[in-house]
Amino acid sequence: MARCRLCRNEKKNTPARIYLPAHRLPLCQEHFVSWFERYLERTIRSFRMFTRKDRILVAVSGGKDSLSLWKALVSLGYEADGIFVYLGIEENSFSLLSRRAVEAMARRLNRPLHIVDMPAELGFSVPDLRRKTRKYCSLCGTVKRQYLNHLAKRLGYSVIVTGHNLDDEASSLLGNLLHWNLKYLARKYPVLPAEHGFVRKAKPLCRHSVREIRLYAEIQKLPYLAESCPLSEEATRPFYAQIMDELEERSPGTKLRFYLDYLRRAFPLFAEHREEFMDRELLTCERCGEPAVSSPCLLCRLKEEFRGHAGI
């Protein structure tokens, strides 16, 4: 059995229970946890995402990615609090179980957790969106992003971080390249600055694979919910994720090279012409004051529409 490389450096002889093919790195469990957190720190610094002076709002869903990110950030000494959006998905008690997972994590970390009850605060749930349109997944994402931006500003946080991982970013990049979605490619970067009324956003796990995150969550015994959203059949990402998985199996490290080479070589070219790729200029919503592509914004229109359906 191979020996842990970091233990070997410390003149120990510990067997490596974990092997990371993309990094050609054999590790014991103890050193895997420290490697995971150090690698996260390096990502944060490399892309200048934020510092320990920032108030960080972690968008947590109850899954392994966001809870691992929250745990690692707190372990590294960042002032990171959680925010959870209760989506009102009653199928398989998904929203309730997700909420219990993030509440258990908040108690363990002894950090504040903000709960947003989507049906109570916005007047509609994700199942309501599903009955309205077939593109409810993308609509759900847009609503959450807009409302989280509003809440982050109201609560005084300087940056919102999400649990998007390397697999997410590589498969999304592949899909956007195949369809030449220029406006997305021009913003396909792991940190977006605070501008035009938007709070800074960052994806600190962008260089960590799903497998690495799962190992971290399991070793740390995080109370994550293993099930994915039961309403996510509409999403196209799994198709591109499967393609990337096959490439990774044939050539370990493909996802990381593909993603990082794009950031180094292609992103600067797309970003230089970002304004040319935008469909419409950003406006300020006449009702809520948030940045939007139309006024009233999507969120305000949905709130008005569902309020009308409820007879209010």
Side-chain angles (χ1 to χ4, degrees), residues 255-272:
K255 293 178 185 178
L256 191 59
R257 289 193 300 273
F258 175 58
Y259 179 60
L260 293 182
D261 281 350
Y262 172 80
L263 295 181
R264 281 191 288 258
R265 301 180 182 185
F267 173 77
L269 302 177
F270 286 106
E272 186 178 348

Side-chain angles (χ1 to χ4, degrees), residues 19-83:
Y19 181 69
L20 307 179
H23 304 277
R24 299 180 180 178
L25 185 61
L27 294 170
C28 65
Q29 284 194 5
E30 178 184 352
H31 277 121
F32 171 77
V33 170
S34 61
W35 171 86
F36 184 98
E37 294 176 354
R38 286 201 308 271
Y39 195 50
L40 180 67
E41 181 78 271
R42 284 167 51 197
T43 301
I44 293 168
R45 291 182 178 179
S46 295
F47 294 104
R48 299 180 182 179
M49 293 182 172
F50 44 81
T51 70
R52 286 175 175 77
K53 295 180 181 179
D54 285 295
R55 291 191 69 215
I56 302 165
L57 191 60
V58 186
V60 289
S61 64
K64 64 183 181 309
D65 300 330
S66 59
L67 294 192
S68 294
L69 174 59
W70 197 9
K71 170 66 173 69
L73 288 175
V74 172
S75 295
L76 288 167
Y78 288 97
E79 186 181 351
D81 302 336
I83 188 164

Side-chain angles (χ1 to χ4, degrees), residues 173-186:
L173 175 58
L174 176 63
N176 283 314
L177 282 169
L178 289 175
H179 292 92
W180 288 110
N181 290 329
L182 300 179
K183 66 177 181 179
Y184 293 105
L185 292 170

Side-chain angles (χ1 to χ4, degrees), residues 130-195:
R130 189 188 191 192
R131 288 187 286 269
K132 174 183 173 60
T133 175
R134 292 175 59 187
K135 296 183 178 181
Y136 56 90
C137 277
S138 58
L139 197 59
C140 170
T142 300
V143 167
K144 285 191 294 184
R145 285 192 296 272
Q146 183 172 340
Y147 200 57
L148 285 176
N149 187 72
H150 168 74
L151 289 172
K153 289 190 291 186
R154 192 180 80 188
L155 296 169
Y157 289 92
S158 55
V159 57
I160 300 172
V161 300
T162 59
H164 291 86
N165 56 54
L166 174 62
D167 296 61
D168 296 325
E169 295 302 286
S171 59
S172 173
L173 175 58
L174 176 63
N176 283 314
L177 282 169
L178 289 175
H179 292 92
W180 288 110
N181 290 329
L182 300 179
K183 66 177 181 179
Y184 293 105
L185 292 170
R187 291 178 59 82
K188 192 66 179 172
Y189 201 72
V191 56
L192 297 176
E195 59 183 2

Side-chain angles (χ1 to χ4, degrees), residues 93-285:
S93 301
F94 178 75
S95 287
L96 177 60
L97 294 174
S98 299
R99 178 169 180 163
R100 288 176 179 171
V102 299
E103 287 175 336
M105 195 73 222
R107 289 193 296 271
R108 174 170 168 178
L109 297 177
N110 194 29
R111 295 297 306 183
L113 171 66
H114 306 281
I115 303 287
V116 179
D117 190 320
M118 187 175 182
E121 296 191 28
L122 302 182
F124 58 88
S125 65
V126 171
D128 290 329
L129 295 178
R130 189 188 191 192
R131 288 187 286 269
K132 174 183 173 60
T133 175
R134 292 175 59 187
K135 296 183 178 181
Y136 56 90
C137 277
S138 58
L139 197 59
C140 170
T142 300
V143 167
K144 285 191 294 184
R145 285 192 296 272
Q146 183 172 340
Y147 200 57
L148 285 176
N149 187 72
H150 168 74
L151 289 172
K153 289 190 291 186
R154 192 180 80 188
L155 296 169
Y157 289 92
S158 55
V159 57
I160 300 172
V161 300
T162 59
H164 291 86
N165 56 54
L166 174 62
D167 296 61
D168 296 325
E169 295 302 286
S171 59
S172 173
L173 175 58
L174 176 63
N176 283 314
L177 282 169
L178 289 175
H179 292 92
W180 288 110
N181 290 329
L182 300 179
K183 66 177 181 179
Y184 293 105
L185 292 170
R187 291 178 59 82
K188 192 66 179 172
Y189 201 72
V191 56
L192 297 176
E195 59 183 2
H196 307 306
F198 291 108
V199 174
R200 191 186 337 154
K201 296 179 179 65
K203 301 174 183 178
L205 290 176
C206 65
R207 298 199 300 180
H208 284 82
S209 70
V210 165
R211 176 174 175 264
E212 292 160 6
I213 296 167
R214 184 181 296 112
L215 283 170
Y216 182 83
E218 290 174 353
I219 292 171
Q220 297 284 48
K221 295 182 170 56
L222 303 186
Y224 71 91
L225 184 66
E227 292 78 11
S228 58
C229 177
L231 304 184
S232 62
E233 299 94 339
E234 181 252 330
T236 57
R237 180 205 164 276
F239 171 71
Y240 299 115
Q242 182 179 355
I243 294 173
M244 293 305 304
D245 286 345
E246 292 176 3
L247 290 170
E248 183 73 18
E249 186 175 353
R250 288 172 178 260
S251 179
T254 294
K255 293 178 185 178
L256 191 59
R257 289 193 300 273
F258 175 58
Y259 179 60
L260 293 182
D261 281 350
Y262 172 80
L263 295 181
R264 281 191 288 258
R265 301 180 182 185
F267 173 77
L269 302 177
F270 286 106
E272 186 178 348
H273 301 279
R274 179 181 302 171
E275 300 302 322
E276 300 174 23
F277 301 146
M278 299 300 294
D279 295 333
R280 289 170 284 183
E281 292 184 6
L282 282 175
L283 307 172
T284 299
C285 176

